[in-house]
Amino acid sequence: MKQKVSLGSRLFDFFNITFMIVLIIVMAYPMVYVFSASISNNALVASGAVLLWPKKITLIAYEQLIYNPDLWVSYWNTIRYTALHTVLTLIATSAMAYPLAKRWLPGRRVILLMAAFTLLFSGGMIPTFLIVQRLGLLDTIWAIVLPSLISTWYLFIMRTFFEGLPEELEDAAAIDGCGSMQILIRIVLPLSLPVMVTIGLFTAVNQWNSFFSALIYLNDRDMYPLQIMLRNILIAGTNVQGEGDLTHLETLKYAMIIIATLPILCVYPFIQKYFVQGTMIGGIKG
């Protein structure tokens, strides 16, 4: 029997679908425009003639970037910064979140309050820089990785997920002779794949797009990440060789944005199935 749909329900569906279509267009347009501008004639892009589709297609901006050695050096730096930071963040965050999820931990409440305090207050940029300098970490990969290794927000999300796991599984593993570290590695972490992947994605995206830490802590150009190169083109108004040639500056800007964004866009579809479940963890406690 066909169910009758009320007029109010139809109106709601109509406005909801219309809103979603408009939202998709608003979100997709900048990406389409950036790609079109990156392969269009520089003069047409600079004059504002390119609005959506490319005009007088040319790949000269990509050729200048691809054949520039600085691009590949900065690409490699960004990849290793992102990979190391993501792996160490997941290890350190899970190692801290797991014991904080146990009510028997001595001083648990004090530690949680101290961690929550850092959400509101921090040491500041200058004290952090002085610490990094005194530790001799300037112009090293550790200056990029260590200062932001643990995010308090991700720590609380992971702790909430661990609290929702059945304690019977851990009790059974303990009876079989597993220690706390073995339980964490063999039982807890395999069951925590959604939260691990989600936090790993957020961490990787933040690190991939980060340039401020490199701007402060790195003086060696061979250590610069991809985002510093992108910044030099977008803000400083110089080309990748730093010679101030503005012949293809506009298309270089958009081509560099595409090159810098492409890896993250390629990775996301493979972990999308974990993303929705992982983002719900902070609001729902099992």
Side-chain angles (χ1 to χ4, degrees), residues 43-93:
L44 295 177
V45 175
S47 64
V50 178
L51 298 178
L52 180 60
W53 305 116
K55 296 183 178 181
K56 293 186 178 180
I57 296 178
T58 174
L59 301 178
I60 188 170
Y62 288 99
E63 291 177 1
Q64 287 191 6
L65 291 173
I66 290 175
Y67 288 107
N68 188 294
D70 291 341
L71 173 69
W72 302 110
V73 172
S74 61
Y75 232 122
W76 167 242
N77 289 335
T78 298
I79 291 173
R80 64 194 184 104
Y81 295 162
T82 302
L84 182 61
H85 186 248
T86 302
V87 171
L88 292 182
T89 292
L90 291 177
I91 293 175
T93 304

Side-chain angles (χ1 to χ4, degrees), residues 8-22:
S9 179
R10 291 179 179 178
L11 288 175
F12 174 79
D13 291 341
F14 172 77
F15 286 111
N16 191 32
I17 294 173
T18 303
F19 174 75
M20 295 302 297
I21 293 176
V22 172

Side-chain angles (χ1 to χ4, degrees), residues 67-245:
Y67 288 107
N68 188 294
D70 291 341
L71 173 69
W72 302 110
V73 172
S74 61
Y75 232 122
W76 167 242
N77 289 335
T78 298
I79 291 173
R80 64 194 184 104
Y81 295 162
T82 302
L84 182 61
H85 186 248
T86 302
V87 171
L88 292 182
T89 292
L90 291 177
I91 293 175
T93 304
S94 59
M96 184 175 181
Y98 179 67
L100 289 176
K102 306 303 176 183
R103 299 186 181 278
W104 46 258
L105 179 69
R108 173 176 177 267
R109 183 175 179 83
V110 176
I111 297 174
L112 289 175
L113 289 175
M114 293 175 62
F117 182 82
T118 62
L119 288 173
L120 303 175
F121 304 98
S122 64
M125 181 178 65
I126 295 178
T128 303
F129 175 83
L130 293 176
I131 292 175
V132 173
Q133 184 184 45
R134 293 292 180 85
L135 292 176
L137 301 180
L138 295 180
D139 284 327
T140 67
I141 189 174
W142 305 111
I144 305 298
V145 172
L146 293 182
S148 57
L149 187 62
I150 296 182
S151 168
T152 306
W153 178 246
Y154 297 158
L155 174 66
F156 285 162
I157 291 178
M158 193 173 292
R159 180 188 69 93
T160 302
F161 186 89
F162 289 163
E163 287 181 341
L165 294 177
E167 294 184 1
E168 292 77 9
L169 293 176
E170 299 183 31
D171 293 339
I175 292 175
D176 290 338
C178 292
S180 297
M181 186 61 67
Q182 290 178 312
I183 293 175
L184 174 62
I185 296 175
R186 297 183 179 182
I187 305 298
V188 176
L189 292 184
L191 294 175
S192 306
L193 191 58
V195 68
M196 298 291 287
V197 171
T198 302
I199 293 178
L201 173 64
F202 286 152
T203 302
V205 171
N206 289 336
Q207 182 58 54
W208 186 275
N209 294 326
S210 174
F211 74 93
F212 193 66
S213 296
L215 200 62
I216 296 176
Y217 302 128
L218 301 180
N219 295 315
D220 186 357
R221 292 180 60 87
D222 292 335
M223 296 288 295
Y224 282 174
L226 188 65
Q227 300 304 326
I228 292 293
M229 186 175 178
L230 176 60
R231 172 189 174 274
N232 291 339
I233 296 177
L234 292 178
I235 299 178
T238 59
N239 70 345
V240 290
Q241 287 84 13
E243 299 170 354
D245 182 10

